[in-house]
Amino acid sequence: MKRIISPSMLSADFGNLERDTRMIDRSQAEWVHIDVMDGVFVPNISFGFPVMKPIRQATKKVLDVHLMIVEPEKYVERFVKEGADYVTFHVEATEQIRHCIDLIHNAGAKAGVSIKPATPTRVLRDLLSKIDLVLVMSVEPGFGGQSFMPNAIDKVRELAAMRKEQGLDFLIEVDGGISSKNAALLFDAGAEALVAGSAVFKAENPEQEIIDMLEAK
Ligand code: DX5
Ligand code: ZN
């Protein structure tokens, strides 16, 4: 099974965004996770379009954009234009899920859907054939540095089973409270991509923490 680490720039040093992006670029992480928050879908505001450019310029790695915003259909094309490779939005944030997926695909990026800790995987059943990625939240979206909620592990197992049943190949990503201490559990449950913010950026040696996550047993 493939293992991908997606360090979350939410925990980077914004006074040194280019330096921190270049550090990820040198590391074994294949993706860069970008958390966009609007203060409405989640009780916090992070950043928007202007951070895409310096990050895109500092790395050729896959930009994994996680939108925690209402009415994502209004903005997904712009994120693709700014260099996103994956655009993931929350199914709880829009009435226009299919339209939003089509907009992302037509703009030339891969489309992901995300579920909050209280949202069951069954709501995704009929969407799975249309998407490239499912992002399972293992904390309430809005803040870095929270504790991992173990019900995410069952959701990963359920999604992996649905993927097999339906003969699909979307990726499963998990986000929130992940480090080299719990990475193996999630990879073993069937996830390919793990997001890590504080575990990477607060580590004494971030590049080593990424390797430890990739090699976790
Ligand atoms: C939370 C964000 C996460 C966050 C993860 O709403 O979606 O991507 O940055 O941070 P850690 O890894 O510190 O839990
Ligand atoms: Zn995220």
Side-chain angles (χ1 to χ4, degrees):
M1 265 303 207
K2 197 165 175 37
R3 291 186 167 197
I4 297 165
I5 303 300
S6 191
S8 167
M9 298 310 289
L10 190 62
S11 295
D13 175 356
F14 283 85
N16 291 289
L17 193 54
E18 187 187 337
R19 179 201 68 189
D20 281 6
T21 309
R22 291 200 190 281
M23 182 275 288
I24 302 303
D25 193 62
R26 283 192 308 269
S27 79
Q28 298 294 308
E30 287 181 45
W31 292 8
V32 179
H33 189 79
I34 301 177
D35 286 303
V36 178
M37 304 179 186
D38 66 355
V40 180
F41 182 69
V42 290
N44 194 16
I45 299 176
S46 57
F47 45 70
F49 302 120
V51 301
M52 294 292 294
K53 201 172 180 183
I55 296 175
R56 183 71 289 175
Q57 284 173 346
T59 183
K60 292 205 161 52
K61 294 203 169 174
V62 169
L63 296 192
D64 165 34
V65 174
H66 176 196
L67 299 180
M68 286 161 276
I69 64 173
V70 295
E71 301 185 48
E73 58 278 4
K74 287 189 180 163
Y75 303 103
V76 289
E77 290 166 300
R78 174 90 186 268
F79 279 102
V80 179
K81 271 202 195 91
E82 302 286 346
D85 296 290
Y86 280 83
V87 177
T88 297
F89 64 92
H90 274 266
V91 295
E92 305 92 349
T94 176
E95 301 280 302
Q96 301 185 44
I97 296 173
R98 280 160 195 269
H99 176 54
C100 205
I101 294 168
D102 290 343
L103 287 172
I104 297 167
H105 282 151
N106 293 339
K110 300 203 167 162
V113 289
S114 184
I115 50 174
K116 297 207 274 185
T119 305
T121 54
R122 64 180 139 76
V123 307
L124 301 177
R125 189 170 280 281
D126 296 336
L127 294 172
L128 296 176
S129 64
K130 313 229 169 312
I131 46 123
D132 305 289
L133 173 112
V134 174
L135 175 60
V136 175
M137 290 308 298
S138 42
V139 297
E140 284 302 335
F143 301 90
Q146 304 181 76
S147 307
F148 178 77
M149 297 166 76
N151 82 331
I153 301 166
D154 292 328
K155 288 185 174 180
V156 171
R157 289 200 186 101
E158 288 161 21
L159 287 162
M162 285 153 96
R163 175 167 65 186
K164 202 167 169 201
E165 243 171 63
Q166 299 187 34
L168 300 171
D169 61 0
F170 60 86
L171 297 176
I172 302 173
E173 183 178 34
V174 191
D175 183 5
I178 301 172
S179 70
S180 51
K181 296 205 168 62
N182 53 9
L185 261 172
L186 294 161
F187 283 134
D188 292 347
E192 286 81 24
L194 302 182
V195 178
S198 34
V200 168
F201 287 98
K202 304 273 183 284
E204 219 161 281
N205 183 344
E207 293 181 57
Q208 186 59 45
E209 173 64 12
I210 291 167
I211 294 170
D212 291 348
M213 290 180 74
L214 285 168
E215 294 177 351
K217 281 196 192 82

mmCIF file of all heavy atoms in Angstrom, residues 159-186:
data_model
loop_
_atom_site.group_PDB
_atom_site.id
_atom_site.type_symbol
_atom_site.label_atom_id
_atom_site.label_comp_id
_atom_site.label_asym_id
_atom_site.label_seq_id
_atom_site.Cartn_x
_atom_site.Cartn_y
_atom_site.Cartn_z
ATOM 1 N N LEU A 159 -14.551 2.830 4.678
ATOM 2 C CA LEU A 159 -14.309 3.365 3.328
ATOM 3 C C LEU A 159 -13.465 2.408 2.494
ATOM 4 O O LEU A 159 -13.714 2.230 1.299
ATOM 5 C CB LEU A 159 -13.635 4.739 3.420
ATOM 6 C CG LEU A 159 -14.561 5.859 3.876
ATOM 7 C CD1 LEU A 159 -13.766 7.069 4.359
ATOM 8 C CD2 LEU A 159 -15.502 6.277 2.731
ATOM 9 N N ALA A 160 -12.488 1.793 3.130
ATOM 10 C CA ALA A 160 -11.641 0.837 2.398
ATOM 11 C C ALA A 160 -12.494 -0.343 1.929
ATOM 12 O O ALA A 160 -12.323 -0.846 0.802
ATOM 13 C CB ALA A 160 -10.494 0.369 3.281
ATOM 14 N N ALA A 161 -13.459 -0.761 2.763
ATOM 15 C CA ALA A 161 -14.346 -1.865 2.375
ATOM 16 C C ALA A 161 -15.266 -1.442 1.231
ATOM 17 O O ALA A 161 -15.480 -2.194 0.271
ATOM 18 C CB ALA A 161 -15.159 -2.332 3.589
ATOM 19 N N MET A 162 -15.803 -0.233 1.314
ATOM 20 C CA MET A 162 -16.680 0.255 0.239
ATOM 21 C C MET A 162 -15.904 0.376 -1.072
ATOM 22 O O MET A 162 -16.409 0.088 -2.162
ATOM 23 C CB MET A 162 -17.258 1.631 0.625
ATOM 24 C CG MET A 162 -18.359 1.563 1.679
ATOM 25 S SD MET A 162 -18.458 3.097 2.669
ATOM 26 C CE MET A 162 -19.699 3.992 1.874
ATOM 27 N N ARG A 163 -14.666 0.804 -0.962
ATOM 28 C CA ARG A 163 -13.816 0.956 -2.153
ATOM 29 C C ARG A 163 -13.619 -0.399 -2.832
ATOM 30 O O ARG A 163 -13.707 -0.511 -4.051
ATOM 31 C CB ARG A 163 -12.473 1.550 -1.700
ATOM 32 C CG ARG A 163 -11.430 1.656 -2.772
ATOM 33 C CD ARG A 163 -10.272 2.528 -2.330
ATOM 34 N NE ARG A 163 -9.515 1.985 -1.204
ATOM 35 C CZ ARG A 163 -8.528 2.633 -0.588
ATOM 36 N NH1 ARG A 163 -8.180 3.838 -0.984
ATOM 37 N NH2 ARG A 163 -7.879 2.079 0.414
ATOM 38 N N LYS A 164 -13.369 -1.407 -2.018
ATOM 39 C CA LYS A 164 -13.143 -2.749 -2.549
ATOM 40 C C LYS A 164 -14.420 -3.271 -3.211
ATOM 41 O O LYS A 164 -14.394 -3.746 -4.354
ATOM 42 C CB LYS A 164 -12.714 -3.661 -1.407
ATOM 43 C CG LYS A 164 -11.963 -4.858 -1.872
ATOM 44 C CD LYS A 164 -11.290 -5.566 -0.730
ATOM 45 C CE LYS A 164 -10.774 -6.916 -1.215
ATOM 46 N NZ LYS A 164 -10.564 -7.847 -0.103
ATOM 47 N N GLU A 165 -15.516 -3.177 -2.439
ATOM 48 C CA GLU A 165 -16.830 -3.622 -2.918
ATOM 49 C C GLU A 165 -17.198 -3.028 -4.264
ATOM 50 O O GLU A 165 -17.699 -3.705 -5.147
ATOM 51 C CB GLU A 165 -17.873 -3.069 -1.944
ATOM 52 C CG GLU A 165 -18.706 -4.038 -1.165
ATOM 53 C CD GLU A 165 -19.468 -3.211 -0.125
ATOM 54 O OE1 GLU A 165 -20.304 -2.342 -0.524
ATOM 55 O OE2 GLU A 165 -19.158 -3.414 1.052
ATOM 56 N N GLN A 166 -16.974 -1.727 -4.388
ATOM 57 C CA GLN A 166 -17.374 -1.018 -5.615
ATOM 58 C C GLN A 166 -16.267 -1.026 -6.672
ATOM 59 O O GLN A 166 -16.437 -0.453 -7.744
ATOM 60 C CB GLN A 166 -17.782 0.435 -5.288
ATOM 61 C CG GLN A 166 -18.968 0.552 -4.330
ATOM 62 C CD GLN A 166 -19.449 2.018 -4.160
ATOM 63 O OE1 GLN A 166 -19.402 2.829 -5.086
ATOM 64 N NE2 GLN A 166 -19.906 2.352 -2.968
ATOM 65 N N GLY A 167 -15.121 -1.626 -6.364
ATOM 66 C CA GLY A 167 -14.016 -1.689 -7.328
ATOM 67 C C GLY A 167 -13.472 -0.325 -7.707
ATOM 68 O O GLY A 167 -13.151 -0.076 -8.878
ATOM 69 N N LEU A 168 -13.337 0.559 -6.726
ATOM 70 C CA LEU A 168 -12.909 1.942 -7.004
ATOM 71 C C LEU A 168 -11.464 2.165 -6.561
ATOM 72 O O LEU A 168 -10.848 1.288 -5.948
ATOM 73 C CB LEU A 168 -13.845 2.909 -6.274
ATOM 74 C CG LEU A 168 -15.316 2.804 -6.695
ATOM 75 C CD1 LEU A 168 -16.197 3.633 -5.784
ATOM 76 C CD2 LEU A 168 -15.491 3.234 -8.159
ATOM 77 N N ASP A 169 -10.940 3.341 -6.878
ATOM 78 C CA ASP A 169 -9.531 3.584 -6.530
ATOM 79 C C ASP A 169 -9.273 4.961 -5.922
ATOM 80 O O ASP A 169 -8.161 5.473 -6.002
ATOM 81 C CB ASP A 169 -8.635 3.352 -7.748
ATOM 82 C CG ASP A 169 -8.988 4.292 -8.887
ATOM 83 O OD1 ASP A 169 -9.922 5.104 -8.722
ATOM 84 O OD2 ASP A 169 -8.321 4.216 -9.946
ATOM 85 N N PHE A 170 -10.293 5.576 -5.306
ATOM 86 C CA PHE A 170 -10.063 6.853 -4.627
ATOM 87 C C PHE A 170 -9.084 6.633 -3.466
ATOM 88 O O PHE A 170 -8.970 5.526 -2.929
ATOM 89 C CB PHE A 170 -11.389 7.453 -4.116
ATOM 90 C CG PHE A 170 -12.124 6.585 -3.141
ATOM 91 C CD1 PHE A 170 -11.833 6.636 -1.782
ATOM 92 C CD2 PHE A 170 -13.114 5.699 -3.564
ATOM 93 C CE1 PHE A 170 -12.502 5.835 -0.871
ATOM 94 C CE2 PHE A 170 -13.788 4.889 -2.656
ATOM 95 C CZ PHE A 170 -13.478 4.954 -1.314
ATOM 96 N N LEU A 171 -8.375 7.701 -3.097
ATOM 97 C CA LEU A 171 -7.450 7.623 -1.965
ATOM 98 C C LEU A 171 -8.183 7.986 -0.677
ATOM 99 O O LEU A 171 -9.133 8.771 -0.692
ATOM 100 C CB LEU A 171 -6.282 8.589 -2.169
ATOM 101 C CG LEU A 171 -5.386 8.313 -3.376
ATOM 102 C CD1 LEU A 171 -4.329 9.404 -3.511
ATOM 103 C CD2 LEU A 171 -4.722 6.942 -3.261
ATOM 104 N N ILE A 172 -7.728 7.427 0.427
ATOM 105 C CA ILE A 172 -8.267 7.757 1.748
ATOM 106 C C ILE A 172 -7.193 8.536 2.518
ATOM 107 O O ILE A 172 -6.058 8.071 2.652
ATOM 108 C CB ILE A 172 -8.680 6.490 2.524
ATOM 109 C CG1 ILE A 172 -9.719 5.685 1.718
ATOM 110 C CG2 ILE A 172 -9.227 6.863 3.912
ATOM 111 C CD1 ILE A 172 -10.075 4.324 2.316
ATOM 112 N N GLU A 173 -7.576 9.725 2.976
ATOM 113 C CA GLU A 173 -6.663 10.601 3.719
ATOM 114 C C GLU A 173 -7.285 10.870 5.093
ATOM 115 O O GLU A 173 -8.506 10.953 5.214
ATOM 116 C CB GLU A 173 -6.483 11.914 2.942
ATOM 117 C CG GLU A 173 -5.505 12.903 3.563
ATOM 118 C CD GLU A 173 -5.321 14.171 2.710
ATOM 119 O OE1 GLU A 173 -6.290 14.614 2.056
ATOM 120 O OE2 GLU A 173 -4.199 14.710 2.712
ATOM 121 N N VAL A 174 -6.450 11.022 6.103
ATOM 122 C CA VAL A 174 -6.945 11.306 7.457
ATOM 123 C C VAL A 174 -6.228 12.552 7.975
ATOM 124 O O VAL A 174 -5.044 12.763 7.683
ATOM 125 C CB VAL A 174 -6.719 10.109 8.415
ATOM 126 C CG1 VAL A 174 -7.484 10.315 9.727
ATOM 127 C CG2 VAL A 174 -7.140 8.807 7.765
ATOM 128 N N ASP A 175 -6.961 13.376 8.740
ATOM 129 C CA ASP A 175 -6.459 14.701 9.127
ATOM 130 C C ASP A 175 -6.846 15.039 10.569
ATOM 131 O O ASP A 175 -8.035 15.112 10.895
ATOM 132 C CB ASP A 175 -7.080 15.726 8.162
ATOM 133 C CG ASP A 175 -6.612 17.156 8.387
ATOM 134 O OD1 ASP A 175 -5.728 17.378 9.224
ATOM 135 O OD2 ASP A 175 -7.144 18.037 7.687
ATOM 136 N N GLY A 176 -5.810 15.269 11.404
ATOM 137 C CA GLY A 176 -6.046 15.759 12.761
ATOM 138 C C GLY A 176 -5.427 14.878 13.830
ATOM 139 O O GLY A 176 -5.787 13.702 13.947
ATOM 140 N N GLY A 177 -4.480 15.430 14.578
ATOM 141 C CA GLY A 177 -3.903 14.708 15.710
ATOM 142 C C GLY A 177 -3.048 13.514 15.329
ATOM 143 O O GLY A 177 -2.937 12.563 16.095
ATOM 144 N N ILE A 178 -2.446 13.564 14.139
ATOM 145 C CA ILE A 178 -1.668 12.404 13.665
ATOM 146 C C ILE A 178 -0.158 12.667 13.805
ATOM 147 O O ILE A 178 0.315 13.773 13.558
ATOM 148 C CB ILE A 178 -2.030 12.078 12.202
ATOM 149 C CG1 ILE A 178 -3.531 11.784 12.100
ATOM 150 C CG2 ILE A 178 -1.217 10.889 11.694
ATOM 151 C CD1 ILE A 178 -4.035 11.637 10.676
ATOM 152 N N SER A 179 0.560 11.622 14.222
ATOM 153 C CA SER A 179 2.015 11.701 14.367
ATOM 154 C C SER A 179 2.581 10.311 14.091
ATOM 155 O O SER A 179 1.827 9.380 13.776
ATOM 156 C CB SER A 179 2.381 12.116 15.793
ATOM 157 O OG SER A 179 2.086 11.043 16.675
ATOM 158 N N SER A 180 3.891 10.160 14.276
ATOM 159 C CA SER A 180 4.497 8.837 14.068
ATOM 160 C C SER A 180 3.964 7.831 15.099
ATOM 161 O O SER A 180 4.128 6.637 14.933
ATOM 162 C CB SER A 180 6.023 8.935 14.144
ATOM 163 O OG SER A 180 6.403 9.614 15.312
ATOM 164 N N LYS A 181 3.311 8.320 16.168
ATOM 165 C CA LYS A 181 2.792 7.404 17.199
ATOM 166 C C LYS A 181 1.527 6.667 16.754
ATOM 167 O O LYS A 181 1.302 5.538 17.170
ATOM 168 C CB LYS A 181 2.507 8.176 18.487
ATOM 169 C CG LYS A 181 3.767 8.756 19.090
ATOM 170 C CD LYS A 181 3.631 8.965 20.597
ATOM 171 C CE LYS A 181 4.976 9.267 21.227
ATOM 172 N NZ LYS A 181 5.594 10.521 20.719
ATOM 173 N N ASN A 182 0.684 7.299 15.928
ATOM 174 C CA ASN A 182 -0.553 6.606 15.510
ATOM 175 C C ASN A 182 -0.648 6.395 13.994
ATOM 176 O O ASN A 182 -1.652 5.896 13.502
ATOM 177 C CB ASN A 182 -1.801 7.351 16.036
ATOM 178 C CG ASN A 182 -1.810 8.822 15.655
ATOM 179 O OD1 ASN A 182 -0.976 9.267 14.861
ATOM 180 N ND2 ASN A 182 -2.735 9.586 16.205
ATOM 181 N N ALA A 183 0.397 6.750 13.258
ATOM 182 C CA ALA A 183 0.346 6.654 11.793
ATOM 183 C C ALA A 183 0.139 5.210 11.320
ATOM 184 O O ALA A 183 -0.647 4.962 10.393
ATOM 185 C CB ALA A 183 1.632 7.230 11.186
ATOM 186 N N ALA A 184 0.803 4.265 11.975
ATOM 187 C CA ALA A 184 0.739 2.872 11.506
ATOM 188 C C ALA A 184 -0.691 2.341 11.542
ATOM 189 O O ALA A 184 -1.145 1.670 10.607
ATOM 190 C CB ALA A 184 1.648 1.990 12.355
ATOM 191 N N LEU A 185 -1.410 2.684 12.613
ATOM 192 C CA LEU A 185 -2.807 2.252 12.766
ATOM 193 C C LEU A 185 -3.653 2.657 11.558
ATOM 194 O O LEU A 185 -4.496 1.899 11.074
ATOM 195 C CB LEU A 185 -3.412 3.001 13.957
ATOM 196 C CG LEU A 185 -3.510 2.312 15.298
ATOM 197 C CD1 LEU A 185 -3.968 3.332 16.341
ATOM 198 C CD2 LEU A 185 -4.485 1.147 15.180
ATOM 199 N N LEU A 186 -3.433 3.893 11.104
ATOM 200 C CA LEU A 186 -4.242 4.438 10.008
ATOM 201 C C LEU A 186 -3.820 3.858 8.668
ATOM 202 O O LEU A 186 -4.657 3.505 7.838
ATOM 203 C CB LEU A 186 -4.142 5.964 10.010
ATOM 204 C CG LEU A 186 -4.770 6.580 11.263
ATOM 205 C CD1 LEU A 186 -4.276 7.996 11.495
ATOM 206 C CD2 LEU A 186 -6.294 6.566 11.140
#
